[in-house]
Amino acid sequence: MTSSDQPLLRVRGATKRFPGVTALDGVDLDLHAGEVLAVIGENGAGKSTLMKILGGVQRLDAGTVEYAGGNVSFSPVSLSPVSFNSVQEAVSRGISLIHQELNLSDNLDIGANIFLGREPHRFWWIDRATIEARSREILTRVGLHLSPSTLVAELSIGMQQLVEIARALSVDANVLIMDEPTSSLTLTETERLFEVVADLKRQGVAVIYISHRLGEVKAIADRVLVLRDGQNVGELARDEITHDRMVSMMVGRDLSNLRVRKSRAEHDRPLLKVRSLSSERFPETAIDFDLAPGEILGLAGLVGAGRTEVLEALFGIRRVGHARIELEGSAVTCGDPRQAMRHGLALVPEDRKQHGVITEWPVRENLSLPVLWRDARGRVFIDRRREIEGSQSAMDRLSVKASSDRQLVHSLSGGNQQKVAVGKWLDLDPRVLLLDEPTRGVDVGAKEEIYRLMDSVASSGAGVVFASSEMEEVLRMSDRVLVFHQGSIAGELNADELSEEAIMTLATGGGEPS
């Protein structure tokens, strides 16, 4: 179904203020049935705030929201003013919001999560048979072939993301809001999601799609709305959507000086030498690779292929079996993270809120946490002067946007939280920086800051190893790529061999393991 001139949803003059910050400043938005409207902008531009208002999480301070509702298989009826007081109220009117951060109960199974709060009943009991049957149908739509009785705690982050999407689809929404829905999905899972979105469009469902992956926006959007600093910057019609135009409108500054991959330099001795590395999940594998001084080594592959396991094994989080690890020619043992840190290794994990930062602590304490053992006076008292200097240096180096280093991390934007997760290692001057999905869920500007840091670390003679599911990132930042498939290295690609096709061929089992 194509969109009509009559919008399904109309926002005019949307304004939302928080203490010291105007998150939305007179934003307008039109949304038609059967279209995908991409809303883009840097972190802090107001995208998530606007979506929370539409989804009943927050209320406007000024402005209006008008909504037709009803059955969108037919022409929408006239618009009526709405103001949702709760998420349940928005859902009951057919507006469903998929949050950027996972919002599942990991102690419950998939079916219970999908129908949480909306459980069908038979007499006085929850109708588990109906939950199982309906969950299987919805899971098939998103390409997740698992039993609804599977515990969410047993799922990978990518699979949990698909469960979130399945839960949103279960309410038969007229308006579906997706906030970074592919941040943890593989290319195959993303393509399946796009098929689901296309099917929803044919049914007349309106989709608001938020993503920092501009290639996805170009592929899926019928129209693009750009926000900057809480205000409308402009719109792009389908035939106007290009990467350069979107970036220019989003950031208002030139980001055209893209990094050019350098050829891998030859060295007499590698900085890091890994032999026979395995993990509990892939005990039969034996990973071998070298990392040269000044090299940025990318780890590519589908979610669950073993990239994270390698990074965590190197950092001492996972057991490494009988692996031999040499750093600058000397054998090292990384039996736990403290040993790894003392040898000069640092890890930025995939899930920043669970493992990367302590969200209820201020920025300063997060940034100084890895060096407390080194800087404590007499191994007892914290050296506050050195702590303040170190945190300020890290904030300046990564352009962390915070009112001060005393601001709590949970109140920062996602991009700035990720900068803190990365920046806390800078004072250690790591010899090997390990990064797992380093720019997951961050905007174009924050990505540039992290990319510049990766280059800076490599330029100092240290090494960088990063795993990423974002193909554009792997191609842009890697001097060399190891492609993983089912726990093994399926192949190695040098800079002049890198292409999306080459990586995906190896990642899907099309090449022989090295």
Side-chain angles (χ1 to χ4, degrees), residues 92-336:
S92 70
R93 292 293 302 274
I95 298 179
S96 184
L97 169 61
I98 303 173
H99 292 274
Q100 177 179 349
E101 301 297 337
L102 296 176
N103 192 26
L104 300 174
S105 298
D106 59 8
N107 62 319
L108 300 179
D109 62 31
I110 294 174
N113 270 278
I114 290 176
F115 287 96
L116 188 62
R118 300 178 294 107
E119 295 87 352
H121 286 76
R122 183 176 178 83
F123 302 112
W124 297 277
W125 307 100
I126 292 176
D127 188 349
R128 185 65 198 185
T130 298
I131 289 177
E132 291 267 348
R134 293 182 61 188
S135 294
R136 288 185 186 277
E137 295 175 2
I138 298 166
L139 292 172
T140 299
R141 291 181 66 187
V142 299
L144 196 56
H145 303 291
L146 293 173
S147 168
S149 61
T150 304
L151 279 178
V152 165
E154 298 174 2
L155 305 180
S156 68
I157 290 179
M159 290 179 178
Q160 291 182 28
Q161 190 90 36
L162 291 175
V163 173
E164 284 273 23
I165 295 167
R167 181 164 64 180
L169 294 178
S170 71
V171 302
D172 297 323
N174 299 331
V175 175
L176 186 60
I177 302 170
M178 297 183 169
D179 192 353
E180 297 288 350
T182 65
S183 60
S184 299
L185 302 187
T186 66
L187 182 61
T188 301
E189 291 167 339
T190 298
E191 290 173 349
R192 177 57 187 156
L193 175 64
F194 287 1
E195 292 173 3
V196 171
V197 171
D199 184 51
L200 293 171
K201 283 179 58 178
R202 287 190 290 269
Q203 298 173 34
V205 176
V207 177
I208 299 178
Y209 192 90
I210 300 175
S211 179
H212 295 306
R213 299 183 175 185
L214 300 186
E216 292 180 3
V217 172
K218 185 177 179 181
I220 199 172
D222 298 308
R223 191 161 49 93
V224 173
L225 172 67
V226 187
L227 299 180
R228 186 169 71 234
D229 298 329
Q231 298 179 328
N232 291 89
V233 175
E235 288 190 6
L236 296 173
R238 175 65 192 167
D239 58 357
E240 299 173 324
I241 301 173
T242 67
H243 183 276
D244 289 346
R245 292 195 68 177
M246 287 189 286
V247 170
S248 176
M249 294 174 71
M250 284 171 61
V251 303
R253 60 186 186 275
D254 183 19
L255 292 178
S256 60
N257 296 321
L258 299 182
R259 176 182 189 268
V260 178
R261 294 191 304 270
K262 57 182 180 292
S263 298
R264 185 185 178 208
E266 295 296 330
H267 294 271
D268 294 334
R269 177 182 295 175
L271 172 67
L272 179 70
K273 187 174 182 178
V274 178
R275 294 293 182 270
S276 302
L277 182 71
S278 63
S279 65
E280 303 101 311
R281 183 159 179 252
F282 298 106
E284 303 302 320
T285 63
I287 302 298
D288 298 342
F289 69 89
D290 293 342
L291 176 70
E295 182 182 24
I296 298 180
L297 177 65
L299 307 184
L302 305 181
V303 170
R307 301 166 304 167
T308 294
E309 284 77 6
V310 168
L311 296 178
E312 292 182 348
L314 287 173
F315 196 61
I317 296 175
R318 295 176 181 266
R319 297 179 61 185
V320 298
H322 301 290
R324 300 190 308 277
I325 303 173
E326 294 182 8
L327 184 64
E328 297 181 303
S330 299
V332 298
T333 300
C334 299
D336 58 56

Side-chain angles (χ1 to χ4, degrees), residues 472-491:
E472 181 180 349
E473 183 166 275
V474 172
L475 294 174
R476 174 178 170 183
M477 292 304 299
S478 303
D479 301 321
R480 186 168 52 102
V481 173
L482 303 180
V483 185
F484 282 73
H485 176 67
Q486 296 182 348
S488 297
I489 297 177

